[in-house]
Amino acid sequence: MRRSPSRFPLLARVGVLAVLAALGGAAQAAAETVPAYNTYQSVPFIVGGAGLAADTVAYLNDKLKGKYHFELNVLTRDKLNETIDKDANFKGVVLFLSPPFVADAEKKKYHWTAPIMSDSNAVISLNTRKIDYLNADSLKGLKFAGVAGNRYAGLDERFGKDIFRDNANEELSNLRKVSSGKADVTIMASSTYRYLLKQLGEQSPVKSTLYVSAKPHASFERHLFSARGDAALGKELDAVAAGMKGDAAWRAILSKYGLD
């Protein structure tokens, strides 16, 4: 009598696949989903629906696959301050800030990684009326092109007195104001300025008319930080940040925005 093919090998394979699927689901479930906070809403941090913030989150997710899954959360600095002040054990990571920006110059309130990039606030003027910045007095009597809602340390108390502020909604408009002589000076993050120059291109008349002071308004390092009490997340972020400056993948992200 002819024997029918056994179904046991098939059932065995189905069983193995089920076990593998369950293990994969367990591994995915093990990756804790936490917010990645970004307070910068200008280029290159936000570019359309993408930008440096989104690319940084994708980079972190790739490095910490199976451990953490970060979701980008864009919010104002005031809203971030409210979030982290309300709960010292807040969940997640904060991107791109420097300790003095959140009143933690001594690095005692939060857990800070090694710097992930260097930046500064560039002082930009017309190359036919160059401004070499020393301090706030360097801008006395000048028309300053600012971004609505932005604060400028050491200058805010001078606006409307001996420095005359004229606001725009974003930095590119201010570059054009200075380039056309409608404003004397503007200040923006060097990362933003370098990205805008990359977008304008080598032949841009705007680019060819601008001068950047050798001394910036401020120089600083950008870090990642998390709650001091979340030792597990802090340890993982430290390990990633320690290798970022030497990582070709991270350097490629910076290069994409003209920051290499």
Side-chain angles (χ1 to χ4, degrees), residues 56-65 67-68 70 93 111 113-116 224 232-247 250:
T56 301
V57 169
Y59 176 89
L60 292 174
N61 282 337
D62 182 64
K63 294 295 182 181
L64 297 179
K65 194 176 297 180
K67 298 177 181 177
Y68 292 92
F70 297 102
V93 59
H111 179 93
T113 68
I116 62 171
L224 308 172
L233 176 58
K235 181 179 178 181
E236 296 294 342
L237 292 173
D238 281 344
V240 174
M244 285 175 75
K245 288 189 175 182
D247 185 359
W250 177 243

Side-chain angles (χ1 to χ4, degrees), residues 93-162:
V93 59
V94 183
L95 310 175
F96 306 128
L97 293 182
S98 188
F101 296 179
V102 287
D104 192 22
E106 301 300 318
K107 299 182 181 179
K108 293 181 178 179
K109 290 171 63 177
Y110 308 115
H111 179 93
W112 295 88
T113 68
I116 62 171
M117 60 185 285
S118 300
D119 210 341
S120 63
N121 289 335
V123 180
I124 304 159
S125 56
L126 198 59
N127 60 14
T128 56
R129 297 201 298 269
K130 295 178 181 178
I131 296 169
D132 289 304
Y133 182 81
L134 295 176
N135 51 43
D137 286 339
S138 302
L139 309 187
K140 185 176 180 179
L142 300 182
K143 187 173 183 179
F144 177 88
V147 172
N150 280 12
R151 298 170 185 169
Y152 299 88
L155 301 178
D156 285 343
E157 59 271 23
R158 304 281 291 267
F159 294 141
K161 297 177 181 177
D162 57 2

Side-chain angles (χ1 to χ4, degrees), residues 56-87:
T56 301
V57 169
Y59 176 89
L60 292 174
N61 282 337
D62 182 64
K63 294 295 182 181
L64 297 179
K65 194 176 297 180
K67 298 177 181 177
Y68 292 92
H69 177 76
F70 297 102
E71 291 185 347
L72 182 60
N73 185 333
V74 181
L75 71 177
T76 65
R77 184 70 61 81
D78 286 344
K79 185 64 177 176
L80 173 69
N81 291 343
E82 179 184 326
T83 300
I84 62 181
D85 287 345
K86 186 190 306 180
D87 183 7

Side-chain angles (χ1 to χ4, degrees), residues 24-47:
Q28 187 174 8
E32 183 182 359
T33 297
V34 293
Y37 297 108
N38 167 51
T39 61
Y40 292 95
Q41 301 183 40
S42 59
V43 297
F45 303 97
I46 301 292
V47 181

